[in-house]
Amino acid sequence: MPEGLEQASTAECSVVSFQSDLPQPLQQAMTQFIEGHPNWDQYRLVQAALAGFLVQNGKPSREITRVYVGNMFRRESLLNGV
């Protein structure tokens, strides 16, 4: 497994944690977005971005599409308009 990645498995799901340096403009944009959209957090944003990238760039997978759609259209986001 690449350096900086950890994988933990449970009976229900598998989670991979990673730590990465972000360029300052990207980090600032992410912080501003999260501050302006209180139903989003850094985890949801990164999951949606990664899943969206994979779906758009040729990784056909129902599971990944579900992650993307689930993050983009959470019930609380639809109810609160954010």
Side-chain angles (χ1 to χ4, degrees):
M1 185 165 288
E3 185 177 328
L5 289 179
E6 296 177 21
Q7 187 169 4
S9 295
T10 65
E12 295 178 16
C13 68
S14 178
V15 175
V16 176
S17 276
F18 64 93
Q19 183 175 6
S20 178
D21 294 327
L22 293 176
Q24 188 173 8
L26 184 58
Q27 191 274 330
Q28 288 173 338
M30 185 170 140
T31 299
Q32 289 172 351
F33 179 86
I34 292 168
E35 287 172 354
H37 300 85
N39 288 329
W40 284 81
D41 61 27
Q42 66 187 10
Y43 306 105
R44 180 179 172 194
L45 183 59
V46 169
Q47 285 181 16
L50 184 56
F53 175 84
L54 292 171
V55 168
Q56 291 174 10
N57 288 284
K59 178 60 180 159
S61 164
R62 285 184 181 210
E63 292 83 9
I64 293 173
T65 301
R66 283 187 187 121
V67 170
Y68 177 69
V69 171
N71 279 296
M72 294 302 296
F73 303 106
R74 285 191 175 170
R75 179 172 171 76
E76 64 270 15
S77 292
L78 295 173
L79 294 175
N80 296 322
V82 288

